[in-house]
Amino acid sequence: MDRMRYVEPSRQDEILAEAIEKTTPVVVTTSKGTAWVTHKSHFLAAPGLEHRLLLHAPLTAESGSTTAVLRGEQIGISFRRGHKKCMFGTVVEDLQEYPQAIVLAWPEQMQEFQRRVYYRSAPPRGTTVDVRYWVAEEAVRSSATQPPENAYHGTLQDLSVGGIRIETNEHPVLSIGQTVVCHFSYKRGAPPLTIHATVRHLQDEARGGESLGLQFVGLETTPGGRKRLVRLAQIVSELQRSNYGSTPHRRHHRYAHMR
């Protein structure tokens, strides 16, 4: 199987029916002001509810706080299925009081990724990939493609579908969980990617620089974001092929894990 594929509608229905039956845990991504926030929940059985999904409510963020969603809000859903990860975007259709639950529209399209694209892959030896990054002014403006004049500069250390690690000699004031935008082109002539991410770790490097671990967020919520996911999977696969036999594949850290 390809490392990423769009799931056929009939197969998608089977996967979701199985996930509902097993009350599979899910990660929910929402946009709150200038930040993307991830939450934990799980599917609920929905007797008599045709082509709708139920999620346990309220949603619990990583900080332990609960978050409310609104009718009409667009959110992202991801969950594990064996050695694969399924992702899709959907819309909140209703808020059910008893049992307390969130009613979601049945997704139009689902993507399925193999686990290996979540392994970190470094650029080939001797290759430098420049990365620009800046603090996000508004989380939902993922269509912005050009970095501002005050963007920070760094170089790519490694990349996965789940996140990116950047080495930088600049010292921006960032905090864990803050949303930033990163912009890079992994090779000469390739169109650049501009992606929102949250800060997962900040680490001082021995040479006086800093290593930033960023987790990509919100891509599953929009058609444009899902296209960028496809490109990311292609880039990671190409990096892994170019490093095969010379550089061991490095597994993901928390900022790029299969959530």
Side-chain angles (χ1 to χ4, degrees):
M1 188 191 82
D2 292 338
R3 296 185 182 185
M4 190 291 303
R5 71 172 181 179
Y6 289 100
V7 181
E8 293 292 331
S10 59
R11 182 58 179 152
Q12 173 180 295
D13 291 352
E14 293 177 6
I15 291 172
L16 288 174
E18 179 183 4
I20 292 168
E21 182 180 358
K22 295 181 177 180
T23 63
T24 299
V26 301
V27 172
V28 184
T29 304
T30 64
S31 172
K32 300 299 180 184
T34 60
W36 289 98
V37 184
T38 56
H39 317 77
K40 294 181 180 179
S41 185
H42 59 265
F43 288 120
L44 293 174
L49 192 66
E50 293 187 2
H51 267 67
R52 296 293 185 274
L53 300 171
L54 279 188
L55 287 187
H56 173 77
L59 302 177
T60 303
E62 291 184 347
S63 63
S65 62
T66 58
T67 302
V69 293
L70 302 174
R71 291 180 179 85
E73 185 172 349
Q74 192 165 337
I75 64 175
I77 303 291
S78 62
F79 61 95
R80 294 188 188 186
R81 180 175 170 269
H83 293 289
K84 303 178 181 67
K85 181 176 179 180
C86 298
M87 306 176 72
F88 59 86
T90 184
V91 175
V92 176
E93 290 200 341
D94 201 2
L95 304 174
Q96 183 174 292
E97 293 186 2
Y98 185 82
Q100 195 170 8
I102 301 167
V103 183
L104 303 177
W106 200 262
E108 295 182 0
Q109 193 173 67
M110 178 189 292
Q111 291 170 298
E112 188 177 57
F113 296 84
Q114 285 190 345
R115 190 169 187 166
R116 69 185 69 180
V117 295
Y118 287 86
Y119 295 166
R120 290 177 4 204
S121 299
R125 185 170 299 176
T127 300
T128 299
V129 177
D130 295 324
V131 182
R132 305 284 300 278
Y133 62 100
W134 62 95
V135 176
E137 295 181 0
E138 189 174 344
V140 296
R141 288 185 178 175
S142 57
S143 58
T145 57
Q146 295 301 319
E149 292 184 2
N150 61 348
Y152 300 105
H153 295 258
T155 57
L156 175 67
Q157 288 183 292
D158 48 56
L159 179 72
S160 79
V161 167
I164 186 171
R165 192 158 59 118
I166 302 168
E167 183 178 0
T168 179
N169 289 320
E170 301 181 355
H171 297 274
V173 179
L174 299 174
S175 58
I176 302 300
Q178 188 170 9
T179 300
V180 300
V181 186
C182 54
H183 176 90
F184 65 95
S185 180
Y186 82 106
K187 67 179 180 181
R188 187 183 298 275
L193 275 172
T194 304
I195 305 177
H196 278 83
T198 56
V199 178
R200 300 298 291 180
H201 78 78
L202 306 168
Q203 179 180 341
D204 291 332
E205 297 287 282
R207 296 187 297 276
E210 212 167 35
S211 177
L212 305 180
L214 307 175
Q215 181 180 8
F216 297 139
V217 287
L219 291 172
E220 68 272 31
T221 62
T222 65
R226 291 189 285 273
K227 289 180 180 178
R228 287 193 286 277
L229 274 171
V230 173
R231 286 194 57 204
L232 273 172
Q234 293 169 342
I235 292 169
V236 172
S237 296
E238 184 170 332
L239 289 176
Q240 290 175 351
R241 286 194 299 269
S242 67
N243 288 325
Y244 182 75
S246 59
T247 304
H249 299 330
R250 290 176 288 178
R251 286 177 177 259
H252 45 77
H253 286 305
R254 288 182 299 163
Y255 65 86
H257 68 322
M258 291 185 69
R259 299 173 296 181

